């Protein structure tokens, strides 16, 4: 199981960028298929107050330029320490 933890950015369809830290993991793929991946995204303090609803599709951008499509599965915390649970939709960007 591959893991990744680093700063990242969530990019919405309207161009809104939300900074934070991604903690991601992937599981072994099944018979040549894509490896499923998911994780948490802790919204940075300077991005606090940004509304990202459950079910929203976003692009997760890594510091090295790689990116992947994600969907918000759940939201925890308050306005200062928001944590989003993400589910990857395509190839893992890590």
């Amino acid at each position: 199981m591959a893991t990744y933890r680093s700063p990242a950015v969530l990019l919405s369809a309207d161009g809104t960028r939300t900074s934070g830290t991604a903690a991601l993991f992937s599981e072994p793929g099944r018979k040549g298929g894509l490896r499923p991946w998911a994780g948490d995204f802790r919204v940075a303090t300077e991005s606090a107050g940004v509304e990202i609803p459950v079910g929203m599709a976003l692009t997760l951008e890594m510091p090295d330029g790689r990116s992947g499509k994600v969907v918000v599965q759940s939201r925890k915390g308050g306005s200062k320490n928001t944590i989003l649970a993400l589910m990857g939709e395509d190839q893992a960007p890590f």
Side-chain angles (χ1 to χ4, degrees), residues 12 14 16 18 43 47-54 56 58 75 78-79 82 84:
S12 68
D14 69 1
T16 302
T18 304
V43 176
S47 295
V50 174
E51 282 299 315
I52 300 174
V54 171
M56 184 175 210
L58 303 162
R75 181 185 175 106
S79 62
T82 302
L84 305 172

Side-chain angles (χ1 to χ4, degrees), residues 31-48:
K31 297 191 181 196
L34 289 176
R35 293 169 34 155
W37 62 282
D40 290 335
F41 184 85
R42 183 178 297 271
V43 176
T45 306
E46 64 269 11
S47 295

